[in-house]
Amino acid sequence: MATTTLVTGARASRSTITLKLLMAASGLVFILYVLAHMYGNLKAFAGHDAYNEYAHHLRTLGEPMLPYEGFLWIMRAVLIVALVVHVYAAVRLGHRAIHARSQRYVVKKNLASSFSSRWMRWGGVAILLFVIWHLINFTIGKVNVAGGETNDPYNLLVDTFDTWWMTVIYLLAMFALALHLHHGTWSAAQTLGLTNNARARRNAKALGWILAVVIAGGFSLVPIFVLAGVISK
Amino acid sequence: MKVTLKIWRQPDAASQGAMHTYELDGVSEDMSFLEMLDVLNEDLVARGEDPVAFDSDCREGICGMCGLMINGQAHGPEVTTTCQLHMRSFKDGDEIVIEPWRADAFPVVKDLVVDRGAFDRIIQAGGYISVNTGSAPEAHSVPVPRDDAVRAFNVATCIGCGACVAACPNGSASLFMGAKVTHLGELPQGQPERDSRVVGMVAQHDAEGFGGCTNIGECTAACPKEIPLDVISRLNWDLHAALRHGH
Amino acid sequence: MTDMPDTTLTGDPSHDAPAEHGDDAVGYYTPGDPISDTKSPEGPISERWQTRKFEARLVNPANRRKLDIIIVGTGLAGGSAAATLGEAGYNVKSFCYQDSPRRAHSIAAQGGINAAKNYKEDGDSVHRLFYDTVKGGDYRSRESNVYRLAEVSTNIIDQCVAQGVPFAREYGGLLDNRSFGGVQVSRTFYARGQTGQQLLIGAYQAMERQVAAGTVEQFTRHEMLELIVVDGKARGIVARDLVTGEIQTHLADAVVLASGGYGNVFYLSTNAMGSNVTASWRAHRKGAYMANPCYTQIHPTCIPVTGSHQSKLTLMSESLRNDGRIWVPKSKADCDKDPRQIPEADRDYYLERIYPSFGNLVPRDIASRAAKNVCDEGRGVGPEVDGVRRGVYLDFGAAIERLGRDAVEEKYGNLFDMYARITGENPYETPMRIYPAVHYVMGGLWVDYDLQSSIPGLFVTGEANFSDHGANRLGASALMQGLADGYFVLPHTIRDYLVDGPFEKIDESHPAVVEARRSVQSRVDHLLSTNGTRSVDSYHRELGNIMWEYCGMERSEDGLRKAIDLIRTLRDDFWRNVKVLGTAESLNQSLEKAGRVADFLELGELMCIDALNRRESCGGHFRAESQTEDGEALRHDDQFAYVAAWEFGSDPDSGGMGLPVLHKEDLVYTAIEMKQRSYK
Ligand SMILES: Cc1cc2nc3c(=O)[nH]c(=O)nc-3n(C[C@H](O)[C@H](O)[C@H](O)COP(=O)(O)OP(=O)(O)OC[C@H]3O[C@@H](n4cnc5c(N)ncnc54)[C@H](O)[C@@H]3O)c2cc1C
Ligand code: HEM
Ligand code: HEM
Ligand code: SF4
Ligand code: F3S
Ligand code: FES
């Protein structure tokens, strides 16, 4: 694909780095969201009423300035935009990467790259699939795999994770999320140009670990404790 | 010692290539890797077979002309250039797989020789400071803090070998570009063109068909000059600045 | 001319050429008319360059676009010239055989670049740099050229700093200097051990900027194989596209050769694998004089040869001699012992013994010769290669004891690492082994003050010309010369020639072009069709051995005569028996090498004849017959204060090399007095 001519009228906004910038920005939105969501989920430990109260509170947040579910819709809009941007950029970059090396090596070793960094694209797809199911499960479809009621958020949650294979799916998804966050956090810092020296680089990598463990770990608590019977109806 | 070599042979850019196997005996551990290939080539010539084409010039690790993928590692198992790799890094009976740099922006010319002209064009697109000969001010009129000078020097040691591209799973030349952007961007002399430089270079990089960087870090591990990942952060930072400045 | 290239021997020593006093080369050449440089203005030396710049006529900027200049070479000399001439608005075509201009061998220079900035206020000046360079060159260089070099040296630093060359700096932010090569002032600018790299990248970037601007067109992986001369003027080149094998004609109003040095005639040298004499030699065959070809610089601190597979030698910075002590065992019997087991009393610190005042810091040529002598005596160390141990110890044991390992590591760590990587030995524990290696050639195509060769329109810059270093080059002066030529000298002098252009248009059908292309084609065809039994490398290696043995550090009448015979026989055999596989229409590295070796085989003979003619010892040229009682070099200014400019003696009858014609340019010193060197 090598060209032999010089580009004229170069624009910064057309570059791969701009795509990466979009990816980092949308990724950061996701990070903030999952952090908050994870924290919210932990309300499950406070019991049926507290959790449902919280779910209700989310919908009335900002009233009367915002209509009912107003905050939620703003948040959803932001998330949807971020998702479109994130996936668009991921597809564009993935496509470029495939065409940047159409003839593969017979032998190729990886020396410095983390497992997580090499799984970003598949991990992203896994997370996307998970989110689709997750929304069907809890938000859009409200599917209760145990066959119970669906309009009580707390009970839906407990029923779901009382089903062992649902817990397994969720835990696998959390593993994918952990990987994505581990590399994604450092990667976003690098993409934003914040890691201009060895120390900043170490910090960004440490932050990646912390977020991966805290977020994926935090999320995992609820399913595990439901399955273990600590959280129950 | 004796080694088994699996080498990519490809008569020219248009032809299909394939791996060929050669046995080579009597290899001394004092030989450099390329001297080992010289010996193989002498053998091949004696047998009337076309010798293996590979690039090298200075053979002391500075010109950046050499570069082979050896057992899946750019420049082989040590942090150095292919020409400075010695056979004592291998042992008797080893099988050694040798491939050219793989990137669509570096088309294969023949066997293990690739065309890295894309790097020249990236430099043409802005990797310089515009100062006509004779118009320079007295050298001491612009002091440069020592740390900046050292940092500029450290990244200016890039030899343009292309190992970063060869090692990067995305086939990205970000480390190479970042090294140049950082070298010139660290110095006061490089400031006036900082925006246009990064925008031009990145646009050329993209047009050449290199991949985007996803901060994987294989490049820096393969780099014989140990150019650090900082330079990619710096490259990104400079591009955002250029975006903000409306480029 | 037949298609059978140039093998016939015509230089029969029994020819009755007129004898000259003390001339051993009688019969190997034809004496020619004396020549002189007519371009350097008269008058005080410090005003000559100003005068010349003023007198050189100007080319109207609007006309520059119509003038084409070919530059062969993209090292410091060629890259800087391409950038500068491109900026000026000429149409430049730049050629190099590597895949990028940035790979030219200038990149390998480690030590630094001299300039008379006098930033240290230590008494440096243009005049002192001039003086040191002439003296260092053992009074065999042209003084006007050297003075100009010293004069423009300061501009080089300004230019490079503005381009972003990251020279070493002090804490205050100003440029640092060090002293280098035995001079008493600190005038060497450096970028750690990679000065050549940084300077070259500066020139390369400046040139790439012009490529983007459209004034310079760059031809990489193109090798110049012939010069096109029309009506006595250089008008273009024939080049081979090394990828497609296409033979191309490139025409221009002037041609600049900046193709570097030919040290690879010795096979093993510190030069790059592709460094060659082809561009210069082809021009020489078309009428450009070759000056002082025998002046070769041999660097004392290189890593020794380990075996016959060796392809090149690696230089280690001379700075190692500041703290390392050089020795060999006193007795041959100890040579294969572990050096750590050899007691102090059994070691011969021969440099300290013979040169008590300079010790290990004697100049390059002296240190090199002394090492060769002890090895020839059989006291060399390290592995035997072809039955001789060629190596001496460079021992940091004492320095590590005195300064501590950390301090030594701080100063020389990267050199030690390089040594360890190449040899597999740990230099902190066992002494390093070093041996001299060919490093640089002072000889090259003859040029006048304008850097124009004896062919009008052919200019020669950098290591390819002979002009500034006399019989020996000072450390850190080659980089200075390359950049001086390319940035500041050539752009001024070439305009005086180009102002008469654009010259009459010629095209591919011109007989001179047809002939040049035909000769390239027939050489290529001949090489590919010989289908002999020996590889190109084997010839190159054998030539290198002959040159090293007889035209290396020490040369003698008998040895040189023998070498000439050997080279002639080898050349003859080469054309009959070389084996080059593959085709002409693709990348063919054996074919490239074969062409280069063919030219080395002719150059080697001329070097020996030149060395034979110069029965004196000066700088890098040491004639066994001309030494003082205690074995020091002895110059003969009364007989040899001239530049030997050799004209190619073609022999139409045999179609081959005839007797070369010697034109002498007398060296006249007005600003300096000649003295004998002494380092005792
Ligand atoms: C290891 C080493 C260390 C050195 N250290 C120092 C130092 O510290 N200080 C110092 O002052 N000097 C040093 N020197 C010497 C100095 O580096 C060289 O003399 C100088 O750089 C030569 O520059 P150049 O531009 O003339 O030629 P080069 O840089 O050799 O360039 C030659 C160019 O010509 C091209 N070329 C050659 N033949 C052809 C052809 N037939 N067709 C097309 N293109 C051709 C090549 O592609 C290349 O671009 C060192 C030399 C070596 C080898
Ligand atoms: C919806 C499906 C998703 C896909 C297909 C996807 C894919 C990707 C890909 C390919 C990358 C680039 C890899 C890299 O930079 O190393 C990436 C980066 C990133 N992703 Fe995702 N991702 C998805 C969802 C998410 C989610 C849910 C989050 C947050 C919880 C997230 C956070 C990030 C972050 C922070 C980055 C780093 C951005 C950067 O490199 O600058 N992603 N994603
Ligand atoms: C074990 C982990 C998780 C649990 C128990 C969980 C639980 C829930 C529940 C109960 C809801 C419904 C909330 C409501 O509508 O009131 C919800 C919504 C949602 N969750 Fe999760 N979640 C988990 C992990 C994740 C992860 C990892 C993501 C993203 C990567 C995610 C994204 C979402 C989204 C986008 C919604 C919809 C919000 C809305 O628009 O209403 N969840 N989650
Ligand atoms: S950054 Fe390193 S690997 Fe990449 S071209 Fe430069 S020296 Fe080679
Ligand atoms: S390996 Fe590739 S993805 Fe970026 S960090 Fe290096 S260029
Ligand atoms: S050949 Fe020059 S770096 Fe390897």
Side-chain angles (χ1 to χ4, degrees), chain A residues 106-125:
Chain A
V106 175
V107 181
K108 174 72 169 69
K109 284 200 188 116
N110 292 305
L111 298 171
S113 50
S114 58
F115 178 74
S116 56
S117 70
R118 297 194 298 273
W119 277 87
M120 287 305 272
R121 289 184 190 117
W122 289 116
V125 171

PDB file of all heavy atoms in Angstrom, chain A residues 106-125:
ATOM      1  N   VAL A 106       5.737 -16.039   9.647  1.00  0.00           N
ATOM      2  CA  VAL A 106       5.656 -17.470   9.927  1.00  0.00           C
ATOM      3  C   VAL A 106       5.840 -17.687  11.431  1.00  0.00           C
ATOM      4  O   VAL A 106       5.148 -18.472  12.062  1.00  0.00           O
ATOM      5  CB  VAL A 106       6.738 -18.237   9.133  1.00  0.00           C
ATOM      6  CG1 VAL A 106       6.741 -19.700   9.501  1.00  0.00           C
ATOM      7  CG2 VAL A 106       6.514 -18.049   7.634  1.00  0.00           C
ATOM      8  N   VAL A 107       6.806 -16.972  11.974  1.00  0.00           N
ATOM      9  CA  VAL A 107       7.032 -17.019  13.425  1.00  0.00           C
ATOM     10  C   VAL A 107       7.027 -15.593  13.935  1.00  0.00           C
ATOM     11  O   VAL A 107       7.694 -14.734  13.367  1.00  0.00           O
ATOM     12  CB  VAL A 107       8.416 -17.635  13.754  1.00  0.00           C
ATOM     13  CG1 VAL A 107       8.617 -17.688  15.253  1.00  0.00           C
ATOM     14  CG2 VAL A 107       8.560 -19.003  13.131  1.00  0.00           C
ATOM     15  N   LYS A 108       6.272 -15.328  14.974  1.00  0.00           N
ATOM     16  CA  LYS A 108       6.300 -13.992  15.550  1.00  0.00           C
ATOM     17  C   LYS A 108       6.211 -14.119  17.054  1.00  0.00           C
ATOM     18  O   LYS A 108       5.323 -14.788  17.578  1.00  0.00           O
ATOM     19  CB  LYS A 108       5.113 -13.164  15.017  1.00  0.00           C
ATOM     20  CG  LYS A 108       4.947 -11.783  15.646  1.00  0.00           C
ATOM     21  CD  LYS A 108       6.016 -10.815  15.196  1.00  0.00           C
ATOM     22  CE  LYS A 108       5.733  -9.373  15.594  1.00  0.00           C
ATOM     23  NZ  LYS A 108       5.816  -9.064  17.015  1.00  0.00           N
ATOM     24  N   LYS A 109       7.158 -13.496  17.731  1.00  0.00           N
ATOM     25  CA  LYS A 109       7.119 -13.546  19.191  1.00  0.00           C
ATOM     26  C   LYS A 109       6.634 -12.216  19.742  1.00  0.00           C
ATOM     27  O   LYS A 109       6.911 -11.174  19.164  1.00  0.00           O
ATOM     28  CB  LYS A 109       8.528 -13.803  19.732  1.00  0.00           C
ATOM     29  CG  LYS A 109       8.948 -15.233  19.566  1.00  0.00           C
ATOM     30  CD  LYS A 109      10.092 -15.584  20.502  1.00  0.00           C
ATOM     31  CE  LYS A 109      10.608 -16.972  20.171  1.00  0.00           C
ATOM     32  NZ  LYS A 109      11.985 -16.957  19.709  1.00  0.00           N
ATOM     33  N   ASN A 110       5.959 -12.297  20.854  1.00  0.00           N
ATOM     34  CA  ASN A 110       5.596 -11.072  21.545  1.00  0.00           C
ATOM     35  C   ASN A 110       6.470 -10.949  22.763  1.00  0.00           C
ATOM     36  O   ASN A 110       6.608 -11.880  23.544  1.00  0.00           O
ATOM     37  CB  ASN A 110       4.129 -11.105  21.951  1.00  0.00           C
ATOM     38  CG  ASN A 110       3.239 -11.042  20.736  1.00  0.00           C
ATOM     39  OD1 ASN A 110       3.366 -10.127  19.930  1.00  0.00           O
ATOM     40  ND2 ASN A 110       2.389 -12.033  20.572  1.00  0.00           N
ATOM     41  N   LEU A 111       7.080  -9.790  22.902  1.00  0.00           N
ATOM     42  CA  LEU A 111       8.065  -9.632  23.966  1.00  0.00           C
ATOM     43  C   LEU A 111       7.569  -8.745  25.076  1.00  0.00           C
ATOM     44  O   LEU A 111       7.697  -9.037  26.252  1.00  0.00           O
ATOM     45  CB  LEU A 111       9.331  -8.982  23.402  1.00  0.00           C
ATOM     46  CG  LEU A 111      10.022  -9.790  22.323  1.00  0.00           C
ATOM     47  CD1 LEU A 111      11.112  -8.957  21.699  1.00  0.00           C
ATOM     48  CD2 LEU A 111      10.589 -11.049  22.919  1.00  0.00           C
ATOM     49  N   ALA A 112       7.008  -7.616  24.685  1.00  0.00           N
ATOM     50  CA  ALA A 112       6.730  -6.605  25.690  1.00  0.00           C
ATOM     51  C   ALA A 112       5.248  -6.391  25.881  1.00  0.00           C
ATOM     52  O   ALA A 112       4.810  -5.825  26.859  1.00  0.00           O
ATOM     53  CB  ALA A 112       7.371  -5.290  25.258  1.00  0.00           C
ATOM     54  N   SER A 113       4.447  -6.866  24.929  1.00  0.00           N
ATOM     55  CA  SER A 113       3.043  -6.491  24.988  1.00  0.00           C
ATOM     56  C   SER A 113       2.327  -7.321  26.031  1.00  0.00           C
ATOM     57  O   SER A 113       2.628  -8.495  26.239  1.00  0.00           O
ATOM     58  CB  SER A 113       2.416  -6.721  23.623  1.00  0.00           C
ATOM     59  OG  SER A 113       2.713  -8.020  23.163  1.00  0.00           O
ATOM     60  N   SER A 114       1.360  -6.696  26.671  1.00  0.00           N
ATOM     61  CA  SER A 114       0.582  -7.431  27.666  1.00  0.00           C
ATOM     62  C   SER A 114      -0.466  -8.255  26.934  1.00  0.00           C
ATOM     63  O   SER A 114      -0.861  -7.945  25.812  1.00  0.00           O
ATOM     64  CB  SER A 114      -0.103  -6.449  28.606  1.00  0.00           C
ATOM     65  OG  SER A 114      -0.910  -5.590  27.856  1.00  0.00           O
ATOM     66  N   PHE A 115      -0.906  -9.296  27.614  1.00  0.00           N
ATOM     67  CA  PHE A 115      -1.986 -10.120  27.093  1.00  0.00           C
ATOM     68  C   PHE A 115      -3.188  -9.224  26.789  1.00  0.00           C
ATOM     69  O   PHE A 115      -3.813  -9.310  25.736  1.00  0.00           O
ATOM     70  CB  PHE A 115      -2.317 -11.155  28.158  1.00  0.00           C
ATOM     71  CG  PHE A 115      -3.441 -12.054  27.806  1.00  0.00           C
ATOM     72  CD1 PHE A 115      -3.249 -13.061  26.864  1.00  0.00           C
ATOM     73  CD2 PHE A 115      -4.692 -11.909  28.389  1.00  0.00           C
ATOM     74  CE1 PHE A 115      -4.294 -13.903  26.523  1.00  0.00           C
ATOM     75  CE2 PHE A 115      -5.729 -12.740  28.049  1.00  0.00           C
ATOM     76  CZ  PHE A 115      -5.537 -13.751  27.121  1.00  0.00           C
ATOM     77  N   SER A 116      -3.470  -8.336  27.729  1.00  0.00           N
ATOM     78  CA  SER A 116      -4.660  -7.495  27.571  1.00  0.00           C
ATOM     79  C   SER A 116      -4.560  -6.643  26.316  1.00  0.00           C
ATOM     80  O   SER A 116      -5.536  -6.466  25.592  1.00  0.00           O
ATOM     81  CB  SER A 116      -4.850  -6.610  28.792  1.00  0.00           C
ATOM     82  OG  SER A 116      -3.690  -5.844  29.033  1.00  0.00           O
ATOM     83  N   SER A 117      -3.358  -6.135  26.012  1.00  0.00           N
ATOM     84  CA  SER A 117      -3.255  -5.229  24.867  1.00  0.00           C
ATOM     85  C   SER A 117      -3.570  -5.970  23.574  1.00  0.00           C
ATOM     86  O   SER A 117      -4.108  -5.396  22.640  1.00  0.00           O
ATOM     87  CB  SER A 117      -1.857  -4.617  24.808  1.00  0.00           C
ATOM     88  OG  SER A 117      -0.892  -5.597  24.452  1.00  0.00           O
ATOM     89  N   ARG A 118      -3.236  -7.252  23.541  1.00  0.00           N
ATOM     90  CA  ARG A 118      -3.471  -7.987  22.300  1.00  0.00           C
ATOM     91  C   ARG A 118      -4.917  -8.455  22.170  1.00  0.00           C
ATOM     92  O   ARG A 118      -5.320  -8.909  21.112  1.00  0.00           O
ATOM     93  CB  ARG A 118      -2.517  -9.178  22.213  1.00  0.00           C
ATOM     94  CG  ARG A 118      -1.051  -8.750  22.155  1.00  0.00           C
ATOM     95  CD  ARG A 118      -0.174  -9.897  21.721  1.00  0.00           C
ATOM     96  NE  ARG A 118      -0.230 -11.011  22.648  1.00  0.00           N
ATOM     97  CZ  ARG A 118       0.532 -11.133  23.729  1.00  0.00           C
ATOM     98  NH1 ARG A 118       1.419 -10.202  24.004  1.00  0.00           N
ATOM     99  NH2 ARG A 118       0.416 -12.161  24.528  1.00  0.00           N
ATOM    100  N   TRP A 119      -5.653  -8.363  23.264  1.00  0.00           N
ATOM    101  CA  TRP A 119      -7.044  -8.837  23.234  1.00  0.00           C
ATOM    102  C   TRP A 119      -8.050  -7.699  23.181  1.00  0.00           C
ATOM    103  O   TRP A 119      -9.241  -7.929  23.352  1.00  0.00           O
ATOM    104  CB  TRP A 119      -7.314  -9.753  24.425  1.00  0.00           C
ATOM    105  CG  TRP A 119      -6.840 -11.141  24.110  1.00  0.00           C
ATOM    106  CD1 TRP A 119      -5.587 -11.626  24.296  1.00  0.00           C
ATOM    107  CD2 TRP A 119      -7.595 -12.168  23.479  1.00  0.00           C
ATOM    108  NE1 TRP A 119      -5.512 -12.910  23.821  1.00  0.00           N
ATOM    109  CE2 TRP A 119      -6.717 -13.281  23.326  1.00  0.00           C
ATOM    110  CE3 TRP A 119      -8.912 -12.284  23.022  1.00  0.00           C
ATOM    111  CZ2 TRP A 119      -7.126 -14.469  22.727  1.00  0.00           C
ATOM    112  CZ3 TRP A 119      -9.317 -13.474  22.447  1.00  0.00           C
ATOM    113  CH2 TRP A 119      -8.421 -14.559  22.300  1.00  0.00           C
ATOM    114  N   MET A 120      -7.582  -6.483  22.928  1.00  0.00           N
ATOM    115  CA  MET A 120      -8.506  -5.348  22.983  1.00  0.00           C
ATOM    116  C   MET A 120      -9.662  -5.509  22.010  1.00  0.00           C
ATOM    117  O   MET A 120     -10.812  -5.247  22.349  1.00  0.00           O
ATOM    118  CB  MET A 120      -7.764  -4.040  22.679  1.00  0.00           C
ATOM    119  CG  MET A 120      -6.868  -3.564  23.790  1.00  0.00           C
ATOM    120  SD  MET A 120      -7.738  -3.391  25.358  1.00  0.00           S
ATOM    121  CE  MET A 120      -8.335  -1.713  25.237  1.00  0.00           C
ATOM    122  N   ARG A 121      -9.345  -5.919  20.787  1.00  0.00           N
ATOM    123  CA  ARG A 121     -10.428  -5.954  19.791  1.00  0.00           C
ATOM    124  C   ARG A 121     -11.420  -7.065  20.104  1.00  0.00           C
ATOM    125  O   ARG A 121     -12.628  -6.820  20.140  1.00  0.00           O
ATOM    126  CB  ARG A 121      -9.841  -6.106  18.389  1.00  0.00           C
ATOM    127  CG  ARG A 121      -9.145  -4.823  17.990  1.00  0.00           C
ATOM    128  CD  ARG A 121      -8.614  -4.818  16.584  1.00  0.00           C
ATOM    129  NE  ARG A 121      -7.790  -3.630  16.471  1.00  0.00           N
ATOM    130  CZ  ARG A 121      -6.485  -3.629  16.230  1.00  0.00           C
ATOM    131  NH1 ARG A 121      -5.846  -4.765  16.023  1.00  0.00           N
ATOM    132  NH2 ARG A 121      -5.823  -2.500  16.201  1.00  0.00           N
ATOM    133  N   TRP A 122     -10.940  -8.253  20.369  1.00  0.00           N
ATOM    134  CA  TRP A 122     -11.861  -9.346  20.714  1.00  0.00           C
ATOM    135  C   TRP A 122     -12.532  -9.058  22.043  1.00  0.00           C
ATOM    136  O   TRP A 122     -13.735  -9.292  22.204  1.00  0.00           O
ATOM    137  CB  TRP A 122     -11.118 -10.673  20.788  1.00  0.00           C
ATOM    138  CG  TRP A 122     -10.705 -11.158  19.422  1.00  0.00           C
ATOM    139  CD1 TRP A 122      -9.448 -11.335  18.959  1.00  0.00           C
ATOM    140  CD2 TRP A 122     -11.584 -11.484  18.345  1.00  0.00           C
ATOM    141  NE1 TRP A 122      -9.473 -11.758  17.655  1.00  0.00           N
ATOM    142  CE2 TRP A 122     -10.777 -11.865  17.245  1.00  0.00           C
ATOM    143  CE3 TRP A 122     -12.984 -11.492  18.192  1.00  0.00           C
ATOM    144  CZ2 TRP A 122     -11.305 -12.248  16.013  1.00  0.00           C
ATOM    145  CZ3 TRP A 122     -13.510 -11.885  16.961  1.00  0.00           C
ATOM    146  CH2 TRP A 122     -12.665 -12.251  15.895  1.00  0.00           C
ATOM    147  N   GLY A 123     -11.790  -8.519  22.964  1.00  0.00           N
ATOM    148  CA  GLY A 123     -12.360  -8.180  24.275  1.00  0.00           C
ATOM    149  C   GLY A 123     -13.480  -7.167  24.114  1.00  0.00           C
ATOM    150  O   GLY A 123     -14.536  -7.270  24.749  1.00  0.00           O
ATOM    151  N   GLY A 124     -13.246  -6.195  23.241  1.00  0.00           N
ATOM    152  CA  GLY A 124     -14.269  -5.173  22.986  1.00  0.00           C
ATOM    153  C   GLY A 124     -15.534  -5.818  22.436  1.00  0.00           C
ATOM    154  O   GLY A 124     -16.652  -5.515  22.883  1.00  0.00           O
ATOM    155  N   VAL A 125     -15.345  -6.741  21.486  1.00  0.00           N
ATOM    156  CA  VAL A 125     -16.506  -7.415  20.907  1.00  0.00           C
ATOM    157  C   VAL A 125     -17.244  -8.206  21.994  1.00  0.00           C
ATOM    158  O   VAL A 125     -18.481  -8.154  22.090  1.00  0.00           O
ATOM    159  CB  VAL A 125     -16.074  -8.354  19.753  1.00  0.00           C
ATOM    160  CG1 VAL A 125     -17.242  -9.209  19.298  1.00  0.00           C
ATOM    161  CG2 VAL A 125     -15.501  -7.534  18.607  1.00  0.00           C
TER     162      VAL A 125
END
